[in-house]
Amino acid sequence: MDEAVRKRRAEENQLAAALTKGPAEVLDFLLPLWVGSQLGASAAEVGALTALETLVSFVVRPIAGSLADRYDRGRVAAVGAVLYGLSFVVYAVTPGIGLAYLAAVLGGAGGALFWVALRARVGEGLAADDGAFSKLFAAEGGGTWIAFVVALSAIAWIDYRGVFWLGAAACVVAAVVLLNAKSAPVREEDAPRFRQLGRRMRPMLALVALTAMAEAGVALLLLMHLQRGHQLQLGEIAAVFIPGFIVYSFLPDYLHGFVRKVGRTRVLSLAMAASALFAAGLSFAPSPAVLAVMWILSAAAFAAAIPVEQAVVAEAAGLSLGRAMGIYESAALLGATIGTFLAGQLYGSDAGWRIACFGAAAFLLFGSLVVRRAVRRVGVAEFPVEPAKTPSQKEKPAVGMAGESPQAAESVKADANKRANPLRNWAVHAVSYVLAQAALAMAGYSWPVEAVFGGAHAAEWYLNSSGHWLLNLGRIWTLVFVIDTVWSLGRLALKKRRY
């Protein structure tokens, strides 16, 4: 595949993922609150609605895998985005709980088609870019926190239904992006069947399910503890969660460099052990501020582990990327379902909260001990596969070789420096930060502006749960941005010293 085409496809994948993941996460966050308060649904009906979407998604995932191996993966993902959008539309117009079940069916089917096909599409470029899944994960995290900020800022003016319409619009844009992409039909008639793939990747899929179970369970425990244990409101709860999603969008690229140096099994083991420590620590966290920090650290660990798991599954798939991603998504969904169910059953008392936290920690610690065996059973390399060189790259002589002109050497060196420049990612983060703070300043809730120039609200340096949640978010985001800046400048300084 031509390098320019590969980069364009990667950008399309990342944009579509960001546009779809954010609204989906917002929907998962708002839906139980909305159907209970606005549609008068009982707790049993809320549970049935969530279970229906999960069941449909689980059933459709193998079908999505087969379709993604037979037809253009971008088109299959676009169909999923359209169904996702239709589910938002039905939620936005439904007068009662009855039509909400139709929306759940559409959302479950759309999510299965979209994510299976999109991840298979990303896997196509893994040979040329071993960090493809890290970039996708970062895009998902970025789309999530942006969607949360937009939705929770706008909900006071446009209500829940208006937010659902915004989600539908984002899904339509994602579908347009994928439909306008260059078609690349895929027909793998000789690809392994689901049973063959499942048998070969069984240890890794068990690890995927365990990770998803722990992540979903810990997230639900944190959500319920903030709402019921600390009596926080919607915006205050979001202020605790959003910094973790920001970490998802900033760290994967850096963490993938660490994977290249120390290997996949070590990173997975360290990430799961760290997640176990954070899960256990949640049971002792005394305040929302400490919980926010613990969630950020836990998010960093998951940001290291999940892209590695996806890359391992994709490499082991061979010809059958679609079927492999269907199995992967099914394992992740099964784990998340079990995790949320167990977390909900155990939470209810102080003892239950602690048992749930320590239970998640025990599962993660066990997973960290069996990672090496699981990866070896799958049969992939310990270190990410080196990106394949294009013919044009192979023809270029190395810098400094005899017979090469100084101008050519400088050109090759400049191209290498440009690709490895640590400030490129930082510049994207800086633009996002400045634009968001400018918008918040116009709304009167920019923490850095009020901290420097003074304003209508007290801009304390500690997390004040009585302050506006946007100010709390801005404070944490500023800290993350400062750390990102110091890290990027440090990498640039070390890079210059080498030359």
Side-chain angles (χ1 to χ4, degrees), residues 252-444:
D253 274 348
Y254 301 128
L255 294 173
H256 184 69
F258 186 60
V259 175
R260 285 174 172 165
K261 291 180 180 179
V262 304
R264 287 165 166 163
T265 57
R266 291 186 183 92
V267 169
L268 280 173
S269 297
L270 287 172
M272 298 186 81
S275 299
L277 180 63
F278 303 144
L282 284 176
S283 63
F284 299 104
S287 67
V290 178
L291 286 169
V293 173
M294 297 295 290
W295 177 242
I296 289 172
L297 296 174
S298 184
F302 285 122
I306 294 175
V308 173
E309 292 178 347
Q310 293 172 348
V312 168
V313 171
E315 280 189 26
L319 296 175
S320 188
L321 275 170
R323 289 179 175 86
M325 285 302 153
I327 296 173
Y328 166 83
E329 289 285 330
S330 296
L333 182 62
L334 179 62
T337 302
I338 295 172
T340 52
F341 176 78
L342 291 177
Q345 295 299 310
L346 289 172
Y347 189 88
S349 64
D350 185 60
W353 155 254
R354 293 185 186 277
I355 290 172
C357 288
F358 279 107
F363 277 117
L364 286 165
L365 189 60
F366 171 77
S368 71
L369 299 175
V370 299
V371 162
R372 185 176 296 276
R373 184 178 179 184
V375 174
R376 284 180 176 175
R377 284 280 301 275
V378 172
V380 300
E382 168 67 12
F383 292 88
V385 177
E386 277 293 316
K389 291 184 178 180
T390 62
S392 60
Q393 289 173 318
K394 292 177 180 177
E395 291 168 5
K396 289 182 181 178
V399 176
M401 286 180 61
E404 181 188 19
S405 68
Q407 293 84 355
E410 287 299 321
S411 174
V412 173
K413 184 176 179 180
D415 289 342
N417 288 342
K418 183 178 178 182
R419 288 193 300 269
N421 190 350
L423 293 184
R424 292 184 69 190
N425 286 335
W426 176 86
V428 175
H429 302 162
V431 170
S432 302
Y433 176 81
V434 171
L435 291 176
Q437 293 303 326
L440 290 171
M442 288 187 287

Side-chain angles (χ1 to χ4, degrees), residues 74-416:
R75 302 295 188 266
V76 175
V79 172
V82 169
L83 292 178
Y84 245 152
L86 287 175
S87 73
F88 278 100
V89 171
V90 175
Y91 280 127
V93 302
T94 182
I97 191 67
L99 275 180
Y101 289 114
L102 172 61
V105 171
L106 292 171
L113 289 169
F114 179 82
W115 289 112
V116 169
L118 188 74
R119 295 198 199 285
R121 196 171 190 255
V122 171
E124 294 172 10
L126 197 59
D129 180 7
D130 58 326
F133 282 103
S134 294
K135 293 181 176 67
L136 181 71
F137 195 79
E140 293 175 28
T144 298
W145 69 258
I146 291 172
F148 265 96
V149 170
V150 171
L152 296 177
S153 301
I155 198 168
W157 292 284
I158 61 177
D159 197 41
Y160 287 95
R161 294 181 188 270
V163 171
F164 296 153
W165 280 113
L166 289 178
C171 291
V172 169
V173 175
V176 171
V177 168
L178 293 168
L179 287 172
N180 285 336
K182 186 177 179 180
S183 178
V186 180
R187 291 181 176 86
E188 305 291 358
E189 300 295 343
D190 298 327
R193 296 184 178 275
F194 280 110
R195 184 174 298 178
Q196 295 171 299
L197 279 172
R199 188 181 303 115
R200 187 165 46 131
M201 294 194 292
R202 190 176 297 160
M204 195 64 206
L205 294 174
L207 197 65
V208 167
L210 190 149
T211 305
M213 180 174 67
E215 182 189 22
V218 169
L220 182 62
L221 287 170
L222 179 58
L223 175 64
M224 291 190 297
H225 197 57
L226 290 171
Q227 184 183 46
R228 304 184 184 195
H230 292 280
Q231 287 80 47
L232 298 188
Q233 300 301 311
L234 180 65
E236 295 168 326
I237 294 173
V240 174
F241 269 87
I242 291 176
F245 295 130
I246 295 175
V247 166
Y248 277 154
S249 66
F250 282 175
L251 284 187
D253 274 348
Y254 301 128
L255 294 173
H256 184 69
F258 186 60
V259 175
R260 285 174 172 165
K261 291 180 180 179
V262 304
R264 287 165 166 163
T265 57
R266 291 186 183 92
V267 169
L268 280 173
S269 297
L270 287 172
M272 298 186 81
S275 299
L277 180 63
F278 303 144
L282 284 176
S283 63
F284 299 104
S287 67
V290 178
L291 286 169
V293 173
M294 297 295 290
W295 177 242
I296 289 172
L297 296 174
S298 184
F302 285 122
I306 294 175
V308 173
E309 292 178 347
Q310 293 172 348
V312 168
V313 171
E315 280 189 26
L319 296 175
S320 188
L321 275 170
R323 289 179 175 86
M325 285 302 153
I327 296 173
Y328 166 83
E329 289 285 330
S330 296
L333 182 62
L334 179 62
T337 302
I338 295 172
T340 52
F341 176 78
L342 291 177
Q345 295 299 310
L346 289 172
Y347 189 88
S349 64
D350 185 60
W353 155 254
R354 293 185 186 277
I355 290 172
C357 288
F358 279 107
F363 277 117
L364 286 165
L365 189 60
F366 171 77
S368 71
L369 299 175
V370 299
V371 162
R372 185 176 296 276
R373 184 178 179 184
V375 174
R376 284 180 176 175
R377 284 280 301 275
V378 172
V380 300
E382 168 67 12
F383 292 88
V385 177
E386 277 293 316
K389 291 184 178 180
T390 62
S392 60
Q393 289 173 318
K394 292 177 180 177
E395 291 168 5
K396 289 182 181 178
V399 176
M401 286 180 61
E404 181 188 19
S405 68
Q407 293 84 355
E410 287 299 321
S411 174
V412 173
K413 184 176 179 180
D415 289 342

